[in-house]
């Protein structure tokens, strides 16, 4: 298996622009997670899905953030409009049940 | 707030030495996990220890769990330069909460 795939790996955008991050989980995994990592706040869980259904989005910082999982093999995290404080590394992870999570390589987002 | 807190924040040792990292958490848990993150990469799962286990081994890794003290430790024996990374403990089942991590540097 190729592991969790994220795209793009790097994204540089200007404040106010829409940003879409993409994730393909490992086939057969029924949980998908979106995390954000910054030096100041560490690794934070934003939202997670079970069988394509959002279960807990309490970590989503504000309404500018939204996430979807239209099918078992694809998820997106969208920021609209983006702000400089959104600059971070965003990770997607997937798991099979209540077991270890497999992380993707991350998307490094820079908002100017 | 973070559930797990690692100690020390940073650790620098010579190749061949053992490295010990500690994690303390606040609430009761079903299991505790340790992850490694190499610079610029995603996290990699190392080991999971359940609340009814006291010790677990995986290769050069040894994890202990003391639920009465709400603490866990990760021991890496005979460290190698390739072990240089950040190490995180995480609790919370599917809604994992990660600590701030310990930065380990192994000098060759």
């Amino acid at each position: 298996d190729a592991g969790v795939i994220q795209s793009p790996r790097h994204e540089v955008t200007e404040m106010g622009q829409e940003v879409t991050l993409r994730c393909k989980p490992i086939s057969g995994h029924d949980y998908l997670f979106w995390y954000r990592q910054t030096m100041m706040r560490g690794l934070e869980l934003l939202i997670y899905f079970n069988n394509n259904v959002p279960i807990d989005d309490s970590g989503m910082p504000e309404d500018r953030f939204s996430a979807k999982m239209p099918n078992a093999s694809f998820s997106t995290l969208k920021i609209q409009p983006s702000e400089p404080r959104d600059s971070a590394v965003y990770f997607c992870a997937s798991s099979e049940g209540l077991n270890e999570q497999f992380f993707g390589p991350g998307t490094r987002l820079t908002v100017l | 707030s973070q559930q797990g807190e690692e100690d020390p924040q940073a650790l620098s040792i010579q190749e061949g030495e053992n490295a010990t990292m500690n994690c303390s958490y606040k609430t009761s848990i079903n299991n505790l996990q340790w992850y490694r993150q190499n610079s610029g990469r995603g996290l990699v799962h190392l080991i999971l220890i359940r609340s009814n286990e006291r010790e677990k081994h995986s290769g050069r890794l040894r994890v202990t769990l003391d639920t009465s003290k709400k603490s866990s430790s990760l021991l890496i024996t005979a460290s190698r330069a390739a072990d240089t990374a950040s190490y995180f403990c995480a609790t919370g089942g599917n809604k994992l909460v990660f600590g701030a991590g310990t930065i380990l540097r192994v000098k060759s």
Side-chain angles (χ1 to χ4, degrees), chain A:
Chain A
D1 200 318
V4 176
I5 299 172
Q6 290 188 248
S7 64
R9 293 294 309 279
H10 302 273
E11 177 80 30
V12 180
T13 190
E14 293 190 346
M15 184 173 63
Q17 296 297 306
E18 177 179 298
V19 174
T20 300
L21 311 181
R22 297 172 176 80
C23 175
K24 177 179 169 56
I26 293 173
S27 177
H29 283 188
D30 54 345
Y31 283 87
L32 183 139
F33 309 83
W34 283 101
Y35 292 90
R36 177 173 68 175
Q37 186 176 38
T38 63
M39 289 293 292
M40 291 296 295
R41 301 177 65 88
L43 194 64
E44 304 172 281
L45 175 65
L46 301 177
I47 184 172
Y48 77 93
F49 296 81
N50 177 221
N51 292 322
N52 313 337
V53 176
I55 302 301
D56 189 329
D57 65 354
S58 59
M60 296 285 259
E62 49 198 273
D63 291 345
R64 297 184 297 106
F65 286 68
S66 63
K68 294 181 179 179
M69 192 166 185
N71 56 63
S73 58
F74 184 66
S75 177
T76 60
L77 178 67
K78 186 176 293 186
I79 308 172
Q80 166 64 17
S82 58
E83 296 182 3
R85 59 193 169 118
D86 301 330
S87 297
V89 181
Y90 291 81
F91 289 103
C92 175
S94 68
S95 70
E96 182 180 359
L98 291 170
N99 294 306
E100 64 180 285
Q101 294 186 15
F102 292 81
F103 282 72
T107 294
R108 182 173 295 276
L109 173 65
T110 302
V111 183
L112 303 174

Side-chain angles (χ1 to χ4, degrees), chain B residues 17-31:
Chain B
E17 294 180 339
N18 295 342
T20 299
M21 289 158 271
N22 303 298
C23 168
S24 60
Y25 56 92
K26 297 173 183 174
T27 61
S28 60
I29 59 171
N30 292 322
N31 62 64

Side-chain angles (χ1 to χ4, degrees), chain B residues 2-83:
Chain B
Q2 292 172 333
Q3 166 74 311
E5 295 291 341
E6 290 89 347
D7 167 59
Q9 291 185 329
L11 182 61
S12 183
I13 59 174
Q14 289 293 135
E15 204 166 26
E17 294 180 339
N18 295 342
T20 299
M21 289 158 271
N22 303 298
C23 168
S24 60
Y25 56 92
K26 297 173 183 174
T27 61
S28 60
I29 59 171
N30 292 322
N31 62 64
L32 184 145
Q33 303 182 40
W34 284 91
Y35 287 79
R36 183 189 74 225
Q37 184 179 31
N38 290 88
S39 179
R41 303 210 169 185
L43 280 73
V44 174
H45 182 267
L46 294 176
I47 199 164
L48 181 152
I49 186 166
R50 303 194 186 281
S51 59
N52 61 352
E53 297 176 307
R54 290 296 167 259
E55 188 171 311
K56 201 163 183 178
H57 297 257
S58 177
R60 294 184 296 113
L61 305 181
R62 174 184 167 234
V63 169
T64 62
L65 179 64
D66 187 335
T67 53
S68 67
K69 296 181 179 178
K70 291 188 170 56
S71 67
S72 174
S73 67
L74 170 66
L75 169 67
I76 303 175
T77 60
S79 63
R80 305 167 181 167
D83 295 329

